Amino acid sequence: MLRTGQPRLGGVASLTDVARGTTDPEMSAIAERLGIASYLSVPVRAVGGTVLGAITLVNAPDRQQFDDRDLLTAVDIGRRAGQSVGNSSMYGEQRHVAEVLQHSMLPRLPLVTELELTARYQPAADRVEVGGDWYDAFVQPDGDLIAAIGDVAGHDIEAAATMGQLRNLVRGNAFGRPDAVGALMSHLDSAIRGLRLPIAATATLVRICGRRSGVREVTWCNAGHPPALVVRAGGAVEVLEATPEPLLGLARPTPRTSHSTSLATGDTLLLYTDGLIERRDRSIDDGLAELVHRLTGTDNVPLDDLCDLLLASIQHREDDTALLAVRAR
């Protein structure tokens, strides 16, 4: 039946049908010892007709032999089983394609004197989709570091592709320009509208300048994204909050605002997406408060270990999560 792909129905009063249905002469004796009086085999077919396997039902001598009604039921069971196997295979293939696409668009972090950079990306656990979370970091010709993180609306391969467009647009818009990050973000808004890109995204753009008198000036602009955090040397945590500004791609032309802080030796800047703090059973403010509590006193934790600990703290991965951490040395 696996060779032909055709259902087989047999009554075996003296096991003659079993004998005719197998090339192994021992099968008849085995069936007799097991008390098999009738059998029914149907193929399990994948989409397209490929035979993946078979389902075989057997009856004892004291039960009625299988008939055409049983055959129809078994064929339907085999069809549904094939669909389930095919869907499972397709699920795995789609997830693999999406994850490869996602990771191919996430950059290698630059090597920067007196700065340590670490990043992580973790897809959601309960979906095939991979979303639009992204991060980026690159060095300007003048030595400043541009760091960015964002989240494109959506949770599918299209969102991942749009994420790639936005990340490249951020690079092209910011590289080589000395403008304040607020002006860079305003220009990014104009580019998204002018190119008619179907993008709606949160994002934070950061410029970290060279060290002067032991500290580095940090300027940032936030377009609807969770606030960045700074773990100060000594363990205190500062939330870089400001008046909320609209998401990229949604607002009419509006001036974006630059804000500033500083990084001293031993300070750590943490950028992240909402998958780190958002849960269905709590508010995002509660999630942020928990993250601040978790980060307090971690100024001496190695940066790689810190990022791994943060990801491990997510009990139910309901959304994709991206992290980008920068520590001044």
Side-chain angles (χ1 to χ4, degrees):
M1 195 273 298
L2 286 176
R3 291 193 301 269
T4 65
Q6 298 301 314
R8 178 172 296 151
L9 176 65
V12 287
S14 60
L15 302 178
T16 55
D17 288 333
V18 172
R20 287 198 300 267
T22 179
T23 59
D24 187 345
E26 294 183 358
M27 291 301 297
S28 295
I30 292 172
E32 185 173 12
R33 288 198 302 269
L34 293 175
I36 298 175
S38 61
Y39 72 95
L40 172 59
S41 293
V42 294
V44 176
R45 295 180 182 275
V47 176
T50 302
V51 177
L52 302 175
I55 296 174
T56 299
L57 309 176
V58 297
N59 265 342
D62 59 345
R63 296 180 62 87
Q64 180 179 347
Q65 293 187 0
F66 294 111
D67 57 24
D68 290 340
R69 292 173 299 177
D70 300 316
L71 179 62
L72 291 175
T73 300
V75 167
D76 187 57
I77 293 172
R79 179 181 61 82
R80 292 174 183 270
Q83 289 176 343
S84 297
V85 172
N87 289 341
S88 176
S89 177
M90 186 179 300
Y91 178 100
E93 290 176 1
Q94 288 179 345
R95 186 173 186 88
H96 175 70
V97 168
E99 289 185 4
V100 169
L101 174 63
Q102 184 90 32
H103 285 284
S104 70
M105 293 181 177
L106 296 176
R108 292 184 178 181
L109 298 178
L111 297 176
V112 184
T113 303
E114 298 180 342
L115 287 177
E116 180 184 0
L117 285 79
T118 300
R120 296 288 188 274
Y121 170 77
Q122 181 172 267
D126 59 349
R127 291 193 306 264
V128 64
E129 295 93 347
V130 173
D133 290 31
W134 59 280
Y135 61 83
D136 198 7
F138 54 92
V139 178
Q140 294 280 58
D142 62 4
D144 289 353
L145 177 73
I146 296 292
I149 198 161
D151 187 357
V152 173
H155 295 286
D156 51 27
I157 295 177
E158 290 185 5
T162 302
M163 173 273 293
Q165 283 185 300
L166 179 58
R167 195 209 71 175
N168 290 335
L169 194 59
V170 169
R171 284 193 161 203
N173 176 66
F175 185 77
R177 296 181 59 179
D179 308 53
V181 288
L184 292 176
M185 197 78 93
S186 295
H187 191 266
L188 183 62
D189 264 329
S190 298
I192 291 172
R193 285 190 300 272
L195 296 172
R196 298 183 179 180
L197 298 176
I199 292 175
T202 68
T204 295
L205 187 66
V206 178
R207 182 191 294 270
I208 303 177
C209 299
R211 189 168 63 176
R212 296 176 183 174
S213 302
V215 298
R216 294 174 180 268
E217 182 186 16
V218 176
T219 56
W220 84 91
C221 180
N222 187 319
H225 199 75
L229 304 174
V230 178
V231 183
R232 297 296 182 185
V237 178
E238 178 183 347
V239 181
L240 302 185
E241 293 184 298
T243 302
E245 295 188 3
L247 276 66
L248 291 170
L250 291 185
R252 294 179 179 179
T254 179
R256 299 282 184 176
T257 307
S258 299
H259 308 274
S260 65
T261 186
S262 61
L263 280 186
T265 300
D267 290 348
T268 302
L269 172 69
L270 179 68
L271 307 177
Y272 57 94
T273 57
D274 58 6
L276 188 61
I277 60 174
E278 192 172 32
R279 302 289 183 278
R280 295 188 182 96
D281 59 350
R282 71 181 185 194
S283 71
I284 198 166
D285 289 338
D286 289 341
L288 178 59
E290 180 182 312
L291 177 59
V292 169
H293 176 73
R294 192 177 299 276
L295 286 170
T296 300
T298 60
D299 52 310
N300 290 319
V301 177
L303 211 54
D304 278 320
D305 293 345
L306 178 60
C307 289
D308 290 340
L309 288 171
L310 292 176
L311 289 184
S313 71
I314 304 174
Q315 297 180 354
H316 303 287
R317 298 201 307 272
E318 299 171 0
D319 198 0
D320 309 324
T321 303
L323 302 174
L324 176 59
V326 183
R327 177 170 290 172
R329 297 184 291 194

